[in-house]
């Protein structure tokens, strides 16, 4: 199994967080599905899917807890992970309806990506370029709406700045900030911060091999018990089980 992330080009850096792919190697002998689990995510993804029993396009919403999916061998998933503070008009999706779920893509999105999904076999740089060009054609039919305050808050939370500090710096009442943030992002600031913290911690653990005990304190958990309980609450499995599964996956970030 291989999971990989690809950066967008300069022309889409203000819209796309990254492109990602997940592929179960053809050498996999088992015909049974694999129970794939991933961390929570603050972003919505457009996902092209090629598997033995389905080819098409679906939407993957933000998740505040683990995402679990049965995936058959010889399957490929190719996603466009969108920046969480952007909205599109006419709407390509509604974040408040996407939370902790997947959904069918709108016919407009399918019209751009169904053909690519139907022939999805090998992921390379040329395919990523085609994916980006096709997405660019799609968003040229839309107006992109961005609230600079919400962008500022998201970027600050992604850096680990506390909500209390952010609220002090933004010239609006807490209630106004919270209401606007949830309307635009589809999550509360607390949900966003918790998800961002877990993803940053595990990026350092899985990609850089940092010691888990050091990370627990670096990411402001009170102690190891606090981290273990918090992780199991959102992931439904112990962190050791999650890490053991992730070690079966080749992880590549360009």
């Amino acid at each position: 199994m291989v999971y990989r992330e690809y950066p967008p080009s300069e022309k889409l850096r203000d819209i796309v967080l990254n492109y990602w792919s997940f592929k179960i190697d053809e050498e996999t002998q088992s015909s049974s599905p694999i129970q794939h689990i991933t961390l929570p995510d603050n972003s919505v993804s457009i996902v092209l899917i090629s598997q033995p029993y389905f080819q098409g396009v679906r939407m993957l919403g933000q998740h505040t807890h683990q995402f679990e999916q049965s995936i058959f061998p010889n399957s490929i998933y190719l996603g466009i992970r969108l920046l969480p503070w952007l909205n599109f008009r006419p709407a390509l999706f509604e974040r408040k309806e996407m939370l902790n779920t997947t959904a069918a893509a709108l016919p407009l999105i399918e019209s751009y990506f169904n053909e690519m999904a139907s022939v999805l076999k090998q992921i390379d740089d040329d395919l990523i370029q085609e994916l980006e060009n096709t997405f660019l054609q799609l968003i040229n039919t839309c107006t992109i709406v961005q609230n600079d305050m919400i962008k500022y808050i998201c970027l600050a939370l992604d850096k680990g700045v506390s909500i209390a500090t952010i609220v002090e710096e933004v010239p609006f009442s807490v209630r106004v900030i919270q209401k606007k943030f949830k309307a635009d992002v589809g999550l509360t600031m607390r949900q966003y911060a918790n998800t961002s913290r877990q993803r940053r911690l595990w990026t350092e653990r899985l990609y850089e091999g940092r010691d888990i005990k050091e990370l627990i304190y670096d990411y402001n958990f009170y102690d190891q018990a606090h981290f273990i309980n918090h992780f199991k609450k959102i992931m439904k499995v112990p962190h050791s089980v999650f890490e053991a599964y992730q070690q079966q996956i080749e992880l590549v970030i360009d």
Side-chain angles (χ1 to χ4, degrees), residues 61-239:
Q62 326 94 299
H63 279 71
T64 56
H65 54 71
Q66 74 154 357
F67 174 68
E68 184 173 2
Q69 177 73 40
S70 297
I71 300 179
F72 284 88
N74 302 323
S75 295
I76 300 176
Y77 293 74
L78 179 61
I80 304 170
R81 184 176 278 123
L82 302 170
L83 291 171
W85 54 81
L86 298 179
N87 288 284
F88 301 85
R89 298 291 180 266
L92 297 179
F93 53 86
E94 293 291 345
R95 282 194 169 87
K96 62 183 179 181
E97 298 175 2
M98 295 292 299
L99 184 60
N100 293 320
T101 190
T102 63
L106 291 177
L108 175 63
I109 297 176
E110 291 182 328
S111 70
Y112 280 89
F113 292 110
N114 260 346
E115 183 176 353
M116 189 182 300
S118 68
V119 295
L120 190 59
K121 297 297 180 185
Q122 188 65 37
I123 299 173
D124 54 27
D125 291 342
D126 289 340
L127 181 62
I128 297 300
Q129 185 63 58
E130 181 184 356
L131 180 72
E132 181 166 270
N133 290 339
T134 303
F135 180 65
L136 187 58
Q137 294 174 34
L138 168 63
I139 62 172
N140 281 339
T141 69
C142 306
T143 298
I144 299 174
V145 181
Q146 173 181 297
N147 182 300
D148 289 339
M149 179 185 74
I150 302 303
K151 177 182 178 181
Y152 170 81
I153 294 173
C154 288
L155 291 175
L157 293 173
D158 285 335
K159 293 176 182 177
V161 180
S162 71
I163 294 174
T165 299
I166 293 171
V167 168
E168 289 180 356
E169 296 175 347
V170 176
F172 295 96
S173 70
V174 174
R175 183 178 179 183
V176 168
I177 296 169
Q178 291 174 333
K179 185 176 180 180
K180 182 60 178 172
F181 188 90
K182 187 169 185 179
D184 279 21
V185 181
L187 303 166
T188 66
M189 286 190 288
R190 178 62 60 194
Q191 289 172 327
Y192 189 103
N194 286 337
T195 295
S196 179
R197 177 167 66 162
Q198 285 290 344
R199 293 188 73 85
R200 286 182 287 116
L201 184 155
W202 283 102
T203 294
E204 292 194 46
R205 174 62 178 162
L206 297 171
Y207 291 89
E208 301 173 19
R210 287 196 58 198
D211 182 83
I212 189 67
K213 291 182 180 179
E214 292 181 0
L215 288 168
I216 287 171
Y217 292 103
D218 284 353
Y219 281 90
N220 298 318
F221 289 97
Y222 302 127
D223 52 29
Q224 191 166 0
H226 178 213
F227 168 75
I228 289 171
N229 292 334
H230 179 79
F231 186 88
K232 193 168 184 179
K233 181 178 179 180
I234 64 171
M235 292 295 289
K236 313 304 180 187
V237 296
H239 74 282

